[in-house]
C-alpha cells in the first residue's frame, strides 16, 4: 500500500493536471499499472477510483489502545412487533421526503406520529434500527425527544462513541435516562456545552425545582446576558413562589430582555409582589362607572421607573401609542382575579359592559385594547374561564349577540383556544368550521390535539366537500390539507374515499382525495401495528 499516493492525486484534482502532473507510473504500484496516461484528466479519475477501492479494501484494523468498555445496559422494554418494525424501516427510508407511492403523502411527515406513539406504548426498536433512528433525529431536531426515548440506553451508549450523535447526550429526556439530571451534574453544569447546560437545568427543574434554582444561582453573576435569558426560560418548569425572590432580583438585571422575562414569569404567579403591584395599577386604570353600567378607562400618563423595573418598556416595540402600550402591558400582567374581586362580576358580565374613557364616557376607543390585554393575560395565566368568555360560544351554538367576540380579540382565538381542555377545543373548532369553512381555520386546527376527534374530522371532511362543490382549487386549502394528512382521524378514510370517487375523474380534487385516503389507510395500519 502506498500511503503517499492519495495526496498527490488529491492535489492534482484541485490544481489541475496541467499545473500538477500525475505521479509516475512506477510510484502508482502494480494495481495501477493498466491505467493509460495518454489523457491526464482521464488517468486522474481512473487512478482515483482504483486508489479509493484499494484504500477501502486494504484498511487494516488498528491495535486496540484501550480495553473494551462495558456493553450497553440492558433495556427491559418489549421489542417492537415485527410489522411495526417493518413500518419503521419504511418511514426511515423516506427521510429524503420521497414517498413509496404517488398515492401516499410524504411519509417522512408521518415519522413524528409513529415515534410519539411507539414511545407512548413503551416499545424499544430492534438494535439494527437504532443507528438509522439516530441519524433521522440528527437531521430533524423535532424528532429528538421521542427518538432518544425510543432508542433508550443503547442509543445513549452509541452516542457516547459517535460524535455525530452527541445531541443524544444533550436531549432532555428524563424518562429515557433516569437520574441523568443529577448524575455528574456539577461537572456538566460547569464544564458542559451551553446546550448541555440548558438541558441539564431543564431536567433538574422537572425533578427537583429547588435544586435547579440553587444551581442557577451559583453561577448567575458570571453568565452572559444571552445565556441568562435562556436559563431564566428554564425556570418555567416547576415555577412556584419559591422562585419569586430570585426573579424579583432579576428585575434589576442589566439586560432588558432578562428583566422582561423575569417580569413575565412573576406575572404568572398571582400572589407575587409584582402581580400585586400590577393589580393596583390595573385598578387605577379601569373601574366601574354609573352604578356598574359600563367600564371607565383612564390609561397611564407616564411610565415611571417603578413600572419600567416591572418589565414595562418605555417605548412600544411595534410603534403603538405610548399610553395604549402602557395600558395594555399593565392589564396583561395583572392577575385576572383582580377584576372579580374589584367588581364582583364574572368574566362574561365584564366583557358585556360598554367601555368608555375618562374624557368621553361614550367613546369605545379603549374597548379593543382592554379585550386584547385580557386575552394575553388569559393565555399567560392559563385561565380557562377567561379564555372561554373571551372566545364566546362556538359559532352556531347560540349567543348571537356575542358571536363576534373572538374575532374582535386581536387575532387571539387560536391562543385562547389552546388554554381550553382538548375536547372543548375540538368542539369549538368543529362548530366554527361548520359556519365559516376552512378559510380561517388553519390556526384553530393547529391548536387542536391530534389526531382530531371524529366529530372534528367529520366537520373538516364536510368543509372539504363544500369547497369542492364551490369550485375552489385544492391549493387554496393547501395548509389545511397538509395538516389533514397527519391529523385527520383515520376513521374518516371511508368518507374521503367517497369524495375521491365522486370528484371529476383525473381532476386535482380526485388526486388530492385519493392521496389523502391512502395516507389515512396507511396511518390506520401504522397505529394498529403499535396497538394504538
Amino acid at each position: 500500500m502506498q500511503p503517499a499516493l492519495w495526496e498527490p492525486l488529491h492535489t492534482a484534482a484541485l490544481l489541475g493536471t496541467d499545473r500538477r502532473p500525475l505521479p509516475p507510473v512506477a510510484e502508482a504500484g502494480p494495481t495501477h499499472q493498466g491505467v493509460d496516461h495518454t489523457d491526464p484528466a482521464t488517468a486522474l479519475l481512473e487512478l482515483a477510483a482504483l486508489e479509493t477501492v484499494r484504500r477501502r479494501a486494504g484498511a487494516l484494523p488498528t491495535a486496540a489502545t484501550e480495553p473494551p468498555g462495558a456493553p450497553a445496559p440492558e433495556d427491559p422494554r418489549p421489542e417492537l412487533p415485527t410489522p411495526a418494525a417493518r413500518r419503521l424501516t419504511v418511514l426511515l427510508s423516506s427521510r429524503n421526503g420521497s414517498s413509496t407511492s404517488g398515492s401516499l403523502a410524504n411519509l417522512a411527515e408521518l415519522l413524528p406520529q409513529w415515534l410519539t406513539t411507539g414511545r407512548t406504548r413503551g416499545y424499544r426498536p430492534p438494535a439494527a434500527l437504532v443507528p438509522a433512528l439516530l441519524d433521522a433525529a440528527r437531521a430533524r431536531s423535532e424528532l429528538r425527544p421521542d427518538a432518544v426515548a425510543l432508542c433508550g440506553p443503547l442509543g445513549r451508549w452509541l452516542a457516547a462513541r459517535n460524535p455525530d450523535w452527541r445531541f443524544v447526550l444533550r436531549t432532555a429526556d428524563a424518562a429515557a435516562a433516569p437520574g441523568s439530571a443529577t448524575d455528574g451534574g456539577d461537572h456538566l453544569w460547569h464544564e458542559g456545552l451551553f446546550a448541555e447546560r440548558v438541558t441539564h437545568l431543564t431536567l433538574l427543574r422537572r425533578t427537583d425545582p429547588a435544586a435547579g434554582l440553587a444551581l442557577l444561582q451559583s453561577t448567575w453573576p458570571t453568565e452572559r446576558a444571552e445565556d441568562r435569558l435562556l436559563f431564566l426560560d428554564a425556570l418555567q418548569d416547576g415555577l412556584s413562589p419559591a422562585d419569586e425572590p430570585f426573579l424579583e432580583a432579576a428585575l434589576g438585571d442589566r439586560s432588558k430582555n432578562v428583566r422582561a422575562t423575569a417580569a413575565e414569569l412573576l406575572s404568572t404567579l398571582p400572589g407575587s409582589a409584582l402581580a400585586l403591584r400590577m393589580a393596583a395599577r390595573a385598578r387605577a386604570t379601569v373601574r366601574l362607572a354609573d352604578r356598574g353600567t359600563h367600564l371607565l378607562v383612564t390609561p397611564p400618563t407616564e411610565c415611571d421607573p417603578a413600572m419600567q423595573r416591572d418589565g414595562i418598556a418605555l417605548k412600544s416595540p411595534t410603534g403603538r401609542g405610548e399610553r395604549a402600550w402602557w395600558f395594555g402591558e399593565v392589564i396583561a400582567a395583572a392577575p385576572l382575579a383582580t377584576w372579580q374581586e374589584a367588581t364582583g362580576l364574572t368574566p362574561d358580565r365584564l366583557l358585556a359592559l360598554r367601555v368608555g374613557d375618562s374624557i368621553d364616557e361614550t367613546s369605545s376607543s379603549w374597548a379593543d385594547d382592554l379585550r386584547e390585554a385580557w386575552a394575553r393575560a388569559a393565555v399567560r395565566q392559563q385561565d380557562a374561564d377567561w379564555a372561554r368568555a373571551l372566545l364566546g360560544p362556538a359559532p352556531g351554538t347560540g349567543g348571537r349577540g356575542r358571536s363576534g367576540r373572538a374575532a374582535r380579540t386581536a387575532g387571539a382565538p387560536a391562543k385562547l383556544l389552546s388554554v381550553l381542555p382538548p375536547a372543548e377545543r375540538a368542539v369549538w373548532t368543529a362548530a366554527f368550521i361548520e359556519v365559516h369553512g376552512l378559510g380561517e381555520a388553519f390556526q384553530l386546527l393547529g391548536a387542536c390535539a391530534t389526531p382530531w376527534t371524529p366529530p372534528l374530522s367529520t366537520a373538516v371532511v364536510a368543509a372539504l366537500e363544500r369547497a369542492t362543490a364551490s369550485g375552489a382549487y385544492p391549493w387554496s386549502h393547501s395548509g389545511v390539507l397538509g395538516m389533514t394528512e397527519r391529523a385527520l382521524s383515520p376513521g374518516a378514510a371511508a368518507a374521503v374515499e367517497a369524495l375521491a370517487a365522486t370528484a371529476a375523474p383525473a381532476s386535482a380534487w380526485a388526486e388530492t382525495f385519493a392521496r389523502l385516503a391512502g395516507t389515512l389507510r396507511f396511518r390506520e395500519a401504522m397505529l394498529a401495528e403499535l396497538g394504538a
Side-chain angles (χ1 to χ4, degrees):
M1 181 175 183
Q2 296 80 26
L5 182 59
W6 181 257
E7 191 60 35
L9 290 175
H10 184 253
T11 303
L14 290 175
L15 299 180
T17 53
D18 55 338
R19 298 178 59 191
R20 184 60 57 95
L22 295 177
V25 176
E27 294 182 13
T31 58
H32 296 54
Q33 296 302 315
V35 174
D36 184 2
H37 281 59
T38 304
D39 179 4
T42 302
L44 172 64
L45 296 177
E46 293 180 354
L47 285 170
L50 288 168
E51 180 65 9
T52 298
V53 173
R54 189 182 65 80
R55 282 160 58 92
R56 290 176 178 174
L60 297 175
T62 58
T65 57
E66 298 179 2
E74 290 293 327
D75 190 338
R77 297 174 299 170
E79 188 168 286
L80 278 171
T82 301
R86 286 198 295 264
R87 184 83 57 176
L88 176 59
T89 302
V90 171
L91 292 172
L92 289 172
S93 68
S94 303
R95 281 175 50 207
N96 61 359
S98 63
S99 169
T100 57
S101 168
S103 62
L104 293 179
N106 179 359
L107 295 186
E109 294 303 313
L110 302 183
L111 183 57
Q113 188 173 137
W114 190 102
L115 293 176
T116 299
T117 307
R119 174 183 184 176
T120 302
R121 302 298 294 176
Y123 289 120
R124 62 178 170 87
L129 289 180
V130 170
L133 260 176
L134 295 177
D135 281 341
R138 180 193 180 201
R140 297 174 60 183
S141 60
E142 77 275 14
L143 302 179
R144 291 178 184 178
D146 284 331
V148 168
L150 273 166
C151 292
L154 176 57
R156 291 184 178 274
W157 186 88
L158 290 171
R161 290 157 176 78
N162 185 343
D164 287 345
W165 299 329
R166 286 191 64 184
F167 69 87
V168 174
L169 307 178
R170 302 193 295 266
T171 299
D173 179 52
S180 63
T182 54
D183 296 345
D186 187 65
H187 173 77
L188 184 61
W189 180 249
H190 291 285
E191 304 294 337
L193 299 173
F194 174 68
E196 294 171 332
R197 299 179 71 211
V198 172
T199 297
H200 175 66
L201 179 61
T202 300
L203 286 172
L204 192 54
R205 285 288 295 184
R206 292 175 184 173
T207 56
D208 189 347
L213 177 62
L215 189 67
L216 180 57
Q217 287 175 311
S218 69
T219 59
W220 182 257
T222 62
E223 303 289 358
R224 300 181 305 168
E226 54 268 34
D227 294 351
R228 292 199 303 277
L229 180 62
L230 292 179
F231 288 143
L232 209 56
D233 275 336
L235 296 188
Q236 294 181 69
D237 286 297
L239 187 67
S240 73
D243 300 310
E244 183 182 355
F246 175 75
L247 293 172
E248 185 73 27
L251 293 176
D253 194 273
R254 56 186 179 274
S255 166
K256 69 176 183 179
N257 290 331
V258 171
R259 295 195 301 270
T261 301
E264 185 167 344
L265 290 173
L266 284 168
S267 71
T268 66
L269 296 173
S272 68
L274 179 138
L276 297 178
R277 294 193 295 269
M278 289 297 190
R281 294 177 182 124
R283 284 192 295 268
T285 59
V286 180
R287 61 182 176 84
L288 278 175
D290 289 346
R291 300 179 182 179
T293 60
H294 71 279
L295 294 171
L296 190 64
V297 172
T298 308
T301 57
E302 64 173 341
C303 185
D304 59 40
M307 292 169 64
Q308 294 178 50
R309 184 181 184 275
D310 283 346
I312 300 178
L314 190 61
K315 299 287 185 181
S316 165
T318 60
R320 194 176 183 182
E322 289 181 346
R323 297 187 71 191
W325 165 251
W326 300 331
F327 172 70
E329 291 297 284
V330 167
I331 301 301
L336 288 166
T338 300
W339 307 109
Q340 190 163 5
E341 294 168 0
T343 66
L345 301 178
T346 63
D348 271 312
R349 291 185 62 191
L350 280 166
L351 287 164
L353 293 176
R354 181 170 54 83
V355 178
D357 64 41
S358 55
I359 298 176
D360 181 3
E361 295 190 11
T362 64
S363 170
S364 60
S365 59
W366 293 102
D368 287 344
D369 294 282
L370 180 59
R371 187 175 290 107
E372 186 271 340
W374 273 339
R376 284 197 286 144
V379 174
R380 184 181 298 180
Q381 298 170 36
Q382 293 293 287
D383 192 309
D385 289 336
W386 268 91
R388 197 173 290 116
L390 284 157
L391 281 168
T397 61
R400 292 181 60 187
R402 301 182 306 162
S403 60
R405 180 177 295 172
R408 296 197 306 273
T409 311
K415 293 181 180 179
L416 289 169
L417 200 64
S418 68
V419 179
L420 301 181
E424 192 172 349
R425 285 181 236 161
V427 170
W428 201 96
T429 304
F432 180 93
I433 290 172
E434 287 171 2
V435 174
H436 299 290
L438 298 172
E440 300 177 11
F442 180 76
Q443 290 185 328
L444 299 178
L445 287 168
C448 292
T450 57
W452 296 332
T453 62
L456 176 56
S457 296
T458 299
V460 170
V461 172
L464 287 172
E465 184 176 15
R466 293 195 300 272
T468 307
S470 71
Y473 292 101
W475 46 88
S476 62
H477 297 293
S478 58
V480 170
L481 284 167
M483 201 181 296
T484 60
E485 294 174 345
R486 305 184 298 273
L488 201 66
S489 171
V496 176
E497 287 169 344
L499 290 180
T502 57
S507 67
W509 277 114
E511 180 181 339
T512 297
F513 288 139
R515 171 188 168 103
L516 177 56
T519 302
L520 292 176
R521 293 298 186 192
F522 185 96
R523 283 177 52 219
E524 185 176 41
M526 176 182 84
L527 296 174
E529 291 161 357
L530 290 168

